Amino acid sequence: MALILGIESSCDETSAALVRDGRKVVSNVVATQHELHEEYGGVVPEIASRAHIERLWPVVDKAVHDAGCEREAAGELIDAVAVGNRPGLIGSLLVGVAAAKALAWAWGKPLIGVDHIEAHLHAASLGGDAIAMPAVGLVVSGGHTSLFFMESASRIRLMGRTIDDAIGEAFDKAASILGLPYPGGPIVDKRAVNGNERAHRFPVASVGDRACLDFSYSGLKTSLLYAVRGKPVGRGKDAQFERDHTAFDDAAIDDFCASFQKAAVDAIVKNTKSAVDVLRDQHGVEVQSLVVGGGVSANSRLRAEMERLADELGLALRLPAMGYCLDNAAMIAGYAWHRFAAGGPFDGLDLSPSPRGEYEGL
Ligand code: KG4
Ligand code: ZN
């Protein structure tokens, strides 16, 4: 039995959680900063790190309190302290890493720095069973769009990634083009329900040949921009457009949302299917499960389409519960359990944050 405290502060969510034995979430507290970044249409790093400093200790205290304890005595209950130390905004990561080190040192417990993206792939198993391996793992978020081969829960290799925008970033930019609030993903998802997905034919990005599993979302974003604003006159920042989103009524905005969302999700489904084929045909690996994680795994169309794909391929589909799609510390504490259970390796007090993650290729 192991109880791990997780801390997450890589972007604009401050979170702390207590997770028992990797999958049983005892408490999970998330403080979002959306209201602070809304007027800028995206996360402002300096504002994010300051907000983490203000929120971190109250969030840790609440997570510990929700588990029926107080911070002063928590060291007796907690077996290890885990923190997402990469990838992310460096100033934001620094706040969580410093707090985790302080607690691990004060309590004399092991410190475990984990990769935020790999932790997203653990979210689908929180509150449920272990995932049947090997698996294809998909991380779709505001900062990442990546496909992984999951040989086991903690041995993960990169198969493809976006060469430009992340899918969540594309949703956020689409919302901004359509005059909808930040973060754009949830609202585009909601507005798409009443829209006609065939109203516009947006491109489903294809990068390289079938064996190339990379993604590209900048072309889709530009297609939407031109469809909404018309042809630009001039170039770059000085470009003048014929119109903006105010030229369209609510039904037309719904249609843009539905058509955009269809193209964005179709690219994900296409590459996920190819990843399963590549693993079988080129590596002799019979995949057992499809695993999805990251903020965009909350998207209703993506969830439905992945279910359809898993059915077609006869695979188990593991989606995170809605509360664990967005950034949260439960996935950090849960993922760290694999290292705790293996007896390490643990990190020292020289653990540092890194803006980049490093993933071994296939
Ligand atoms: O995983 P996350 O909290 O942060 C990163 O690690 O990036 O993901 C946030 C992203 C945002 O871009 C947000 O617009 C998107 O997830 N998102 C959605 C939905 N809910 C959140 N995108 C599409 N549909 C949704 N329902
Ligand atoms: Zn994330």
Side-chain angles (χ1 to χ4, degrees):
M1 293 274 274
L3 184 65
I4 298 184
L5 168 69
I7 293 179
E8 155 62 32
S9 70
S10 66
C11 189
D12 60 343
E13 256 92 28
T14 317
S15 180
L18 282 161
V19 177
R20 191 175 293 288
D21 294 340
R23 296 200 301 275
K24 188 177 180 315
V25 181
V26 180
S27 63
N28 184 42
V29 178
V30 183
T32 66
Q33 302 177 7
H34 292 165
E35 76 289 356
L36 300 179
H37 303 286
E38 189 174 353
E39 70 175 288
Y40 305 100
V43 178
V44 182
E46 183 59 28
I47 293 177
S49 33
R50 281 167 188 247
H52 284 304
I53 291 172
E54 287 165 11
R55 292 163 193 213
L56 194 104
W57 289 116
V59 163
V60 169
D61 284 346
K62 181 153 183 4
V64 170
H65 182 81
D66 287 357
C69 185
E70 299 307 324
R71 199 201 307 163
E72 291 68 28
E76 285 156 37
L77 291 179
I78 290 165
D79 297 293
V81 181
V83 61
N85 75 317
R86 64 190 190 278
L89 300 171
I90 194 74
S92 292
L93 289 165
L94 200 54
V95 179
V97 169
K101 282 188 200 177
L103 289 174
W105 177 77
W107 292 336
K109 302 291 173 179
L111 175 67
I112 305 175
V114 305
D115 182 286
H116 175 93
I117 304 304
E118 293 180 12
H120 266 306
L121 291 174
H122 184 82
S125 61
L126 290 171
D129 299 331
I131 296 166
M133 297 288 171
V136 164
L138 176 69
V139 178
V140 277
S141 73
H144 306 274
T145 309
S146 305
L147 264 173
F148 293 92
F149 167 48
M150 304 176 74
E151 196 175 339
S152 70
S154 52
R155 175 130 174 77
I156 289 168
R157 284 188 274 167
L158 187 66
M159 295 184 75
R161 69 197 324 174
T162 181
I163 58 165
D164 41 53
D165 294 350
I167 182 172
E169 191 182 354
F171 268 95
D172 295 337
K173 286 178 178 166
S176 147
I177 292 167
L178 295 169
L180 302 171
Y182 174 85
I187 181 102
V188 170
D189 188 357
K190 206 158 145 219
R191 296 287 298 259
V193 172
N194 300 317
N196 173 8
E197 65 183 34
R198 291 176 210 279
H200 306 273
R201 281 182 70 91
F202 291 128
V204 176
S206 225
V207 183
D209 59 17
R210 194 185 76 114
C212 175
L213 300 172
D214 286 340
F215 299 89
S216 167
Y217 278 102
S218 71
L220 173 58
K221 176 192 64 191
T222 308
S223 300
L224 175 72
L225 181 79
Y226 289 177
V228 173
R229 297 194 183 160
K231 288 232 159 63
V233 179
R235 297 186 75 120
K237 276 204 227 96
D238 301 325
Q240 300 281 327
F241 289 91
E242 291 168 25
R243 53 179 186 264
D244 68 11
H245 63 87
T246 55
F248 297 94
D249 63 12
D250 281 354
I253 298 288
D254 291 350
D255 289 349
F256 278 124
C257 288
S259 305
F260 168 87
Q261 181 171 273
K262 176 179 175 355
V265 171
D266 281 357
I268 296 288
V269 173
K270 183 166 106 344
N271 278 15
T272 305
K273 185 171 189 309
S274 299
V276 174
D277 292 345
V278 165
L279 284 169
R280 188 192 48 241
D281 300 345
Q282 296 178 18
H283 301 273
V285 173
E286 285 298 339
V287 165
Q288 303 294 308
S289 319
L290 296 180
V291 184
V292 191
V296 185
S297 59
N299 183 267
S300 57
R301 187 184 177 100
L302 185 116
R303 293 176 88 90
E305 286 295 300
M306 290 305 281
E307 226 155 82
R308 202 193 43 68
L309 179 66
D311 265 3
E312 178 193 322
L313 301 176
L315 304 176
L317 175 66
R318 300 299 299 268
L319 293 165
M322 290 304 260
Y324 305 132
C325 292
L326 293 168
D327 289 349
N328 66 86
M331 67 186 196
I332 302 288
Y335 187 54
W337 175 77
H338 293 289
R339 231 158 77 210
F340 184 83
F346 301 123
D347 290 293
L349 291 178
D350 57 349
L351 175 72
S352 39
S354 167
R356 276 175 299 280
E358 285 189 11
Y359 312 98
E360 198 186 319
L362 193 62

